[in-house]
Amino acid sequence: MAAPLEIRNSASGKILPAVGPFLIGGIFGFGALQGVASGTSGGHVLWIGLLGVAFLALGVFISRGAFDNSVKVTLDQRGFRDARAGDVLVPWNKVRSVRLASGGKGAAMLNFELTEEPPDAIKYAAANAFGLMHFGKTTVHMEISSLDARGQDLVDAVKTFAPHVVVRR
């Protein structure tokens, strides 16, 4: 019996996307300081400062996941579950096929075609989770680019835990 595959956030997958908002926030902050120093009217400086704070907050919001080391996705002999979207176990007997969206190391999505509609908890969580796990009629799209595992590692785990699941290319 194979050990469960537990996947966590990738620090680089969370920090690197936050670099842009941090840089833009810094530029707006510097512009606000220059405006104050040169005596520009308060209204313009206030807007520039608020934009700087908003972009810095966005950078913090994006990067906060890099410090969360809890398990996000689990694949085991029973099925798969995504803690980011409902934390509901989807048993392997309900999975018809799996497909790595763009293949290779940089794949962003793992698509699971189910034999029936996904559980309601996944649907509701997907609607509120900023794209962490979406659903089609019977397809669940799992975002994996922010995780610390390669897409092929996940496909290999599916082959190990559920040999009946068809792997599509």
Side-chain angles (χ1 to χ4, degrees), residues 7-159:
I7 304 163
R8 293 167 170 73
N9 282 335
S10 166
S12 63
K14 294 292 185 175
I15 295 279
L16 291 177
V19 170
F22 280 132
L23 286 173
I24 294 170
I27 290 168
F28 276 119
F30 181 73
L33 288 176
Q34 279 188 320
V36 168
S38 68
T40 305
S41 72
H44 293 343
V45 172
L46 177 65
W47 279 109
I48 293 171
L50 287 174
L51 281 171
V53 169
F55 275 102
L56 290 173
L58 177 62
V60 169
F61 177 77
I62 293 170
S63 65
R64 79 192 190 306
F67 306 103
D68 178 7
N69 61 0
S70 62
V71 174
K72 299 299 174 198
V73 174
T74 304
L75 287 87
D76 60 19
Q77 64 280 359
R78 297 176 302 144
F80 72 91
R81 77 174 56 234
D82 190 335
R84 304 168 299 172
D87 202 18
V88 176
L89 178 70
V90 177
W92 292 122
N93 63 357
K94 294 187 180 190
V95 178
R96 181 176 297 138
S97 68
V98 65
R99 183 175 72 85
L100 192 56
S102 55
K105 186 175 181 179
M109 292 284 194
L110 195 61
N111 301 324
F112 293 94
E113 182 187 359
L114 306 180
T115 58
E116 58 188 51
E117 285 197 33
D120 286 340
I122 290 177
K123 291 180 191 178
Y124 298 135
N128 296 319
F130 300 111
L132 295 177
M133 192 173 213
H134 301 284
F135 58 92
K137 193 165 197 114
T138 59
T139 303
V140 174
H141 308 284
M142 182 187 295
E143 183 273 329
I144 60 173
S145 60
S146 64
L147 301 174
D148 68 354
R150 293 180 36 220
Q152 191 57 47
D153 296 339
L154 290 164
V155 171
D156 292 343
V158 170
K159 288 179 185 177

